[in-house]
Amino acid sequence: MNATSEQALLTLDDLRVDFHTPTGIVNAVRGLSFTLGRERLGIVGESGSGKSMTGRAILDLIPHPGVVTAKRMEFRGKDLTTMDKASRRKLRGRHISMVMQDPKFSLNPVQTVGDQIAEAYRVHHKASAREAKERSLSMLEAVQIREPGRVYDLYPHEVSGGMGQRVMIAMMLIAEPEILIADEPTSALDVTVQLQVLKILDDLVTSRGMGLIFISHDLHLVKSFCDRVIVMYGGKAMETLPAGELDRAQHPYTRGLLGCLPDLDHPRETLATLNRDPAWLA
């Protein structure tokens, strides 16, 4: 599904993220444009292709000396490029949330996971401590954590990687955002837990009518889970296509990524071959 301007939750036109360093300007994102509706949009590419920078730019989380510019960056018709910092902060979490890659580095180690989820709710809603705890327990149930009352009182180091990722999802979704950005949410998990987390995301996105930006390097995963896919390299979008048509992609870079996937019966062109003549990147 390609979101029209009437149904778009998010619209980006010519998004650029540049880092001004002593040795020159590093172009992390170069002219990225897309719209996001109530759908699952995958962004794939190699490490350093600009995937995570795109998510952070949307949330105004690019650190100094990064500079974000765009001809158009709108959330539900609101211009994010002219919005002040305080207003952008109000959007974060309440309307647009981001699940980071590794919960070990995202959760506060000296707070129980329940207190962190409850705090995320109270920041955006005028709620009592009791109501926030009840909502937090319900959210832990929604992400399929058994014994939510027991898990509520645990510290981050006391939960497994899969459970920590579910806690992060619960924390980001408790404020009921309209857009969720998931940055490699399953890369640190084993296959069985990956499938469980993806099912949770799918159910929540479907039931709440959210827009999901799913950042990954796993083409198989994106093909099976997302509605559309943006393929990025060097900060640029190489190709945008329906996820179901990924195997029929025409761009040389996308074909190169596909060629890196294991396939003993059908050898394909690899990225190493393409990089000898990267004229397609220009």
Side-chain angles (χ1 to χ4, degrees):
M1 180 179 75
N2 193 356
T4 64
S5 57
E6 290 79 11
Q7 63 187 177
L9 295 173
L10 180 71
T11 302
L12 298 183
D13 182 12
D14 196 25
L15 173 68
R16 296 178 181 272
V17 180
D18 300 321
F19 287 88
H20 297 256
T21 72
T23 57
I25 299 176
V26 177
N27 309 119
V29 180
R30 302 188 290 158
L32 181 64
S33 301
F34 66 82
T35 57
L36 175 73
R38 301 185 187 278
E39 59 179 324
R40 296 163 298 185
L41 175 65
I43 301 181
V44 299
E46 299 174 71
S47 296
S49 62
K51 307 185 302 296
S52 296
M53 285 296 167
T54 298
R56 291 176 178 273
I58 293 168
L59 285 170
D60 193 30
L61 292 177
I62 298 296
H64 178 79
V67 176
V68 178
T69 60
K71 291 179 180 176
R72 185 182 178 195
M73 182 160 57
E74 294 182 353
F75 167 71
R76 294 181 64 86
K78 297 177 181 177
D79 188 350
L80 300 181
T81 61
T82 59
M83 195 175 288
D84 59 65
K85 290 285 185 181
S87 298
R88 291 292 293 273
R89 280 196 299 272
K90 290 179 181 178
L91 283 180
R92 269 200 308 269
R94 181 63 186 90
H95 298 282
I96 307 174
S97 285
M98 187 169 184
V99 177
M100 301 299 183
Q101 183 170 351
D102 195 332
K104 291 194 298 290
F105 301 109
S106 302
L107 294 171
N108 187 335
V110 299
Q111 265 190 302
T112 64
V113 297
D115 284 346
Q116 293 182 63
I117 298 171
E119 181 183 14
Y121 182 72
R122 296 188 72 182
V123 164
H124 300 289
H125 299 273
K126 293 180 179 179
S128 65
R130 180 178 178 179
E131 180 189 347
K133 182 173 182 177
E134 289 174 353
R135 290 297 298 266
S136 300
L137 291 170
S138 297
M139 199 67 236
L140 286 172
E141 282 190 80
V143 296
Q144 300 178 21
I145 286 181
R146 299 176 183 176
E147 301 180 89
R150 181 183 67 85
V151 174
Y152 186 95
D153 293 322
L154 296 180
Y155 286 89
H157 72 274
E158 297 178 296
V159 303
S160 66
M163 189 177 292
Q165 197 61 279
R166 294 180 195 204
V167 168
M168 282 296 303
I169 293 170
M171 190 186 307
M172 294 303 103
L173 291 179
I174 196 168
E176 300 183 347
E178 292 157 270
I179 295 175
L180 179 65
I181 303 170
D183 188 2
E184 301 274 13
T186 61
S187 62
L189 309 178
D190 62 57
V191 174
T192 303
V193 180
Q194 274 188 12
L195 295 175
Q196 293 171 350
V197 170
L198 288 174
K199 186 179 186 306
I200 291 166
L201 284 174
D202 188 40
D203 291 345
L204 291 171
V205 168
T206 302
S207 63
R208 297 185 180 204
M210 297 167 53
L212 173 68
I213 298 177
F214 189 82
I215 297 170
S216 180
H217 62 272
D218 189 330
L219 273 72
H220 281 315
L221 183 60
V222 167
K223 177 186 173 183
S224 62
F225 181 67
C226 294
D227 301 305
R228 287 191 297 139
V229 180
I230 297 174
V231 182
M232 290 188 69
Y233 178 81
K236 295 180 68 175
M238 298 289 101
E239 188 169 16
T240 302
L241 70 166
E245 298 178 10
L246 195 56
D247 284 339
R248 299 191 293 276
Q250 298 300 310
H251 195 279
Y253 178 69
T254 310
R255 298 306 310 170
L257 283 179
L258 292 169
C260 292
L261 300 176
D263 189 346
L264 299 180
D265 296 324
H266 303 90
R268 288 174 287 193
E269 193 170 28
T270 66
L271 288 180
T273 304
L274 289 169
N275 286 336
R276 296 193 197 110
D277 182 22
W280 44 268
L281 180 58

